[in-house]
Amino acid sequence: MAVLPIRIYPDKVLRQKASPVDAVTPDIQRLVDDMAETMYAAPGVGLAANQVGVLLRIFVIDTANEDEPSDLRVFINPTILERSGEVVWKEGCLSFPGVSENVERAEKVVVKALDRNGEPFTLQAEGLLAIAIQHENEHLDGELMIDHLGPVRKRLVQRKLQKRPSVDADT
Ligand code: NI
């Protein structure tokens, strides 16, 4: 397994739409494992494939607290089937280091996806897990948490990150 470099906003890959996974092959499973390792190393609660530069519809989530056993969940080709309720949650994103903003989300979701073995499952989620599913699922469509902010907050976040030294700028 390997820790992959995380793409930071405004990296263009974060705005691209990811394609469905055709088949859950060993290469896909290796990517899933690398994404999980990358998420744990960050550390973060969730990571979408776009964030490591791969345009496939995959995300991983682990909402366990530090003092709890790990609870890795893998979502391949996810679809959110139902959303209910409303909640405002202070969210962060590994592609927006140092940023945390209140975002309005559905309180509960029902999602279907394939697991790491390519087996379909349906999950009802609430709390942080429901928030993370919505956040990561948006990444797969090139949507970002800042899209939920008003124009003033959005510009503040954009300015903050555009001042960061870019890796690409030196090459
Ligand atoms: Ni994110």
Side-chain angles (χ1 to χ4, degrees), residues 46 51 92-96 135-136 139 144-145:
Q51 294 179 277
C93 178
L94 293 175
S95 296
F96 290 82
H135 177 117
E136 302 310 334
H139 272 299
L144 298 168
M145 58 178 276

Side-chain angles (χ1 to χ4, degrees), residues 10-160:
D11 191 313
K12 288 188 177 68
V13 75
L14 298 172
R15 283 300 190 192
Q16 291 180 280
K17 194 174 163 77
S19 302
V21 172
D22 290 333
V24 181
T25 59
D27 280 350
I28 293 292
Q29 290 179 324
R30 197 165 310 123
L31 170 63
V32 165
D33 295 343
D34 288 347
M35 285 173 59
E37 191 171 350
T38 303
M39 174 182 72
Y40 288 126
V45 165
L47 183 77
N50 308 47
Q51 294 179 277
V52 292
V54 177
L55 289 169
L56 290 172
R57 302 189 80 79
I58 304 171
F59 58 77
V60 293
I61 292 176
D62 189 335
T63 57
N65 290 319
E66 279 175 31
D67 55 350
E68 293 172 340
S70 67
D71 183 24
L72 179 64
R73 295 168 188 269
V74 175
F75 300 79
I76 299 173
N77 296 346
T79 305
I80 296 178
L81 302 171
E82 289 176 40
R83 300 167 191 263
S84 58
E86 277 177 20
V87 65
V88 174
W89 205 283
K90 192 146 223 173
E91 292 186 19
C93 178
L94 293 175
S95 296
F96 290 82
V99 172
S100 71
E101 293 287 334
N102 284 325
V103 175
E104 192 179 309
R105 300 278 185 192
E107 189 180 14
K108 298 178 183 179
V109 296
V110 178
V111 61
K112 72 167 183 178
L114 304 177
D115 68 15
R116 189 185 174 283
N117 297 316
E119 295 294 327
F121 67 94
T122 302
L123 173 72
Q124 291 187 45
E126 56 184 67
L128 177 57
L129 180 57
I131 301 298
I133 288 167
Q134 293 170 81
H135 177 117
E136 302 310 334
N137 195 58
E138 283 187 352
H139 272 299
L140 304 182
D141 290 322
E143 294 167 17
L144 298 168
M145 58 178 276
I146 55 167
D147 301 337
H148 294 269
L149 306 180
V152 174
R153 295 299 307 166
K154 186 171 180 175
R155 195 151 311 135
L156 281 171
V157 171
Q158 286 172 325
R159 288 221 183 103
K160 182 173 178 175

